[in-house]
Amino acid sequence: MNNYKIAVIGGDGIGPEVVAEGLKVLNAAASKYNFTLETTDFDFGGERYLKTGEVLSDEEVEQLRQFDAIYLGGIGHPDVKPGILEKGILLKLRFDLDQYINLRPVRLYENVTTPLKGKTPQDIDYVVIRENTGGLYTGIGEFQKKGTPDEVAIQSMVYSRKQVERCVRFAFDLIKKRHAASPWKGLSPEEKEKGFVGKLTLCGKTNVLTYAYDLWDRTFNEVAADYPEILTDYCHVDAICIYMIESPQRFDGIVTGNMFGDIITDLAAVTQGGMGVAPSGNINPSGVSMFEPVHGTAPSFTGKNVINPIAAILTAQMMLNHLGEKEATENIETATRKVIKKMKSMLVGEMGYTTTEIGDMITEQLKS
Ligand code: IPM
Ligand code: MN
């Protein structure tokens, strides 16, 4: 019987509440599908920082390396200056554990309201592969003449060829796996005829960022040669914002750098019904990966049992998938779909059920 060691970081605000629901579902899956979960809680976050001044030490990161995966609720506290916890905990973990992929599936489930008029679940079903350890997020930059009228601030978008290539390769491999059983529905008959099975779109800004995205563009096209069965496309980041709204059905996978990936996945989350349903995984394919919902800590809803746990539950499901529990993964997905159909809305306060009720319903569904 497989036993998985999971580090649990509930974090701040509603983080611990949604993580509790995810764990409820995971534990039900464990007893049904014959694996065990050994969870260890870590109190990293704003509360601890305010009490002790500790953010996250190198020793603590080392401790986390001993786990099979990390399950995180949310980090951020209204009483802590922006940047301290984000950089000190979340980004430090992504960087130190070399979680170089931020995987964000975008899927509109049945019965979920999208603000995109006329769009159905068939139209919104793609995955964003966001590079997660480079770009503007490296923190490289400086102030010059700080505090004077002549002040200059520089923040560099830094990418190495290796960084870009491993990300792009991951993306192509993922699209290939995604359609191992049957080709992507968005392909035209001619494209299927030619042997294409899926499509990957590079999102960049080659008309202005002529260093960083030139590197991305060249790497993307070179790597594409190893994947003749994947159709490729390119969109500037501004244009992609139009297409994600007007014609999301044109996307199967989007690969992009860290900053653009951050921005477009919030937009994508809205199209799939809001932050309450958007899961994500910070992946190191050969190390420890960390799974966290895209949403933040929603401090004003803390402790009210009103927040939507679906994103955290789908995040837990992604974690199980990553660990290799395919059957359990599929069944959590089915159970979640069924419960989503019963919910009145994905929005806080309009769900028709409390946070814990939704976790219970999915658990019951899973057991049946
Ligand atoms: C996200 C968040 C983080 C990011 C913040 C909290 C540092 O917005 O996971 O998308 O920018 O990556
Ligand atoms: Mn973000």
Side-chain angles (χ1 to χ4, degrees), residues 80-348:
V80 181
K81 191 174 160 236
I84 295 178
L85 303 171
E86 292 85 345
K87 278 182 144 177
I89 301 177
L90 199 57
L91 299 185
K92 183 175 169 64
L93 285 170
R94 289 177 185 172
F95 278 66
D96 288 6
L97 298 174
D98 203 19
Q99 295 162 343
Y100 61 88
I101 298 294
N102 197 322
L103 196 58
R104 298 188 160 179
V106 185
R107 181 178 297 163
L108 178 66
Y109 285 98
E110 237 177 285
N111 196 40
V112 174
T113 307
T114 172
L116 304 190
K117 197 175 161 203
K119 297 299 174 197
T120 67
Q122 279 71 44
D123 299 316
I124 306 175
D125 186 1
Y126 57 96
V127 53
V128 179
I129 300 107
R130 164 186 175 190
E131 200 289 326
N132 211 29
T133 55
L136 285 170
Y137 278 69
T138 48
I140 293 172
E142 62 173 331
F143 292 117
Q144 288 171 4
K145 303 185 182 170
K146 192 175 178 188
T148 74
D150 295 322
E151 177 166 355
V152 175
I154 300 170
Q155 193 103 40
S156 303
M157 184 179 279
V158 183
Y159 269 118
S160 70
R161 162 80 197 207
K162 281 184 188 152
Q163 247 174 345
V164 175
E165 182 166 341
R166 65 182 184 174
C167 174
V168 165
R169 277 199 188 280
F170 182 95
F172 275 105
D173 281 332
L174 185 80
I175 298 300
K176 204 170 149 177
K177 262 187 250 153
R178 204 170 137 79
H179 302 295
S182 59
W184 179 48
K185 291 192 182 68
L187 294 167
S188 70
E190 298 76 47
E191 287 161 350
K192 276 188 203 153
E193 186 82 5
K194 284 184 189 149
F196 289 116
V197 301
K199 176 176 165 188
L200 183 62
T201 303
L202 172 65
C203 163
K205 188 73 185 172
T206 51
N207 53 348
V208 175
L209 305 177
T210 51
Y211 299 111
Y213 277 98
D214 184 76
L215 174 62
W216 273 85
D217 196 46
R218 279 183 285 123
T219 309
F220 181 77
N221 289 318
E222 279 167 39
V223 172
D226 294 340
Y227 300 85
E229 66 277 63
I230 312 289
L231 193 63
T232 56
D233 195 10
Y234 172 84
C235 289
H236 291 320
V237 64
D238 45 355
I240 221 166
C241 294
I242 300 176
Y243 301 137
M244 283 167 65
I245 304 301
E246 266 184 9
S247 47
Q249 66 276 12
R250 69 188 276 154
F251 298 119
D252 181 14
I254 299 175
V255 64
T256 190
N258 212 340
M259 187 77 259
F260 293 165
D262 178 47
I263 298 167
I264 68 169
T265 52
D266 268 25
L267 179 63
V270 173
T271 67
Q272 74 185 116
M275 304 307 273
V277 277
S280 93
N282 301 277
I283 314 283
N284 175 342
S286 55
V288 187
S289 299
M290 175 167 77
F291 296 83
E292 52 164 332
V294 177
H295 64 64
T297 56
S300 58
F301 298 115
T302 305
K304 296 193 172 139
N305 203 14
V306 295
I307 204 83
N308 190 350
I310 294 289
I313 291 167
L314 291 173
T315 296
Q317 178 223 17
M318 274 180 89
M319 179 165 77
L320 266 195
N321 190 32
H322 178 81
L323 292 169
E325 294 292 336
K326 299 284 175 247
E327 207 188 345
T329 305
E330 278 162 28
N331 283 285
I332 293 179
E333 161 121 46
T334 310
T336 307
R337 277 180 193 274
K338 286 190 178 146
V339 170
I340 286 177
K341 279 197 184 165
K342 294 185 189 156
M343 291 167 67
K344 290 208 183 78
S345 160
M346 292 300 115
L347 304 176
V348 176

